[in-house]
Amino acid sequence: VVYEGEWANGKSHGQGKRTFDDGGYVEGEYREGQPYEATAVRANGIRYAGSFQDGKAWGFGHLTAPRAAYDDDKRAVNGIWQGNTFVEKGWFYDNKFKFPCNSTEDCQQVAATDITKQAYMTNLDNYAE
């Protein structure tokens, strides 16, 4: 693993890019050694752009995956296929897609009448879009 970017107090903090041995990477804003608002691209082509907490997709985000990497995944029912690309856009909680929406504000409106969705949105510290 290689990190290139800004540091503070011995931790990645600010703009940077962490590249993994398999070619995957996470690039964007880091806070206290963890991605905060970034784009993560795995070696198999799965891409997540959005908010993170504790190194996991958490908050509003957008995941895309090539068909070859995702076609047989059970989660494929949560999003839509656009040609040969799988797309999940909405609220993520603890690295899992929870419900579709188009922005933080839209997510708040979608969750306004659903206690479960509200819980996903409020159980999040230091969230930013």
Side-chain angles (χ1 to χ4, degrees), residues 35-100:
Y36 181 70
E37 195 68 29
T39 298
V41 179
R42 295 183 190 168
N44 65 2
I46 294 175
R47 172 187 215 78
Y48 171 79
S51 296
F52 287 79
Q53 182 175 307
D54 299 325
K56 298 177 180 178
W58 210 312
F60 181 74
H62 190 174
L63 181 138
T64 58
R67 184 174 291 278
Y70 224 60
D71 202 15
D72 294 326
D73 194 297
K74 293 177 183 176
R75 286 180 39 194
V77 299
N78 295 327
I80 59 170
W81 288 101
Q82 294 178 345
N84 285 326
T85 302
F86 178 72
V87 178
E88 286 178 328
K89 184 177 183 182
W91 199 261
F92 287 78
Y93 181 88
D94 195 22
N95 233 28
K96 296 173 184 73
F97 182 78
K98 293 301 178 181
F99 62 93

Side-chain angles (χ1 to χ4, degrees), residues 22-33:
D22 65 2
Y25 64 90
V26 179
E27 183 172 29
E29 182 182 354
Y30 282 77
R31 291 192 181 172
E32 298 292 319

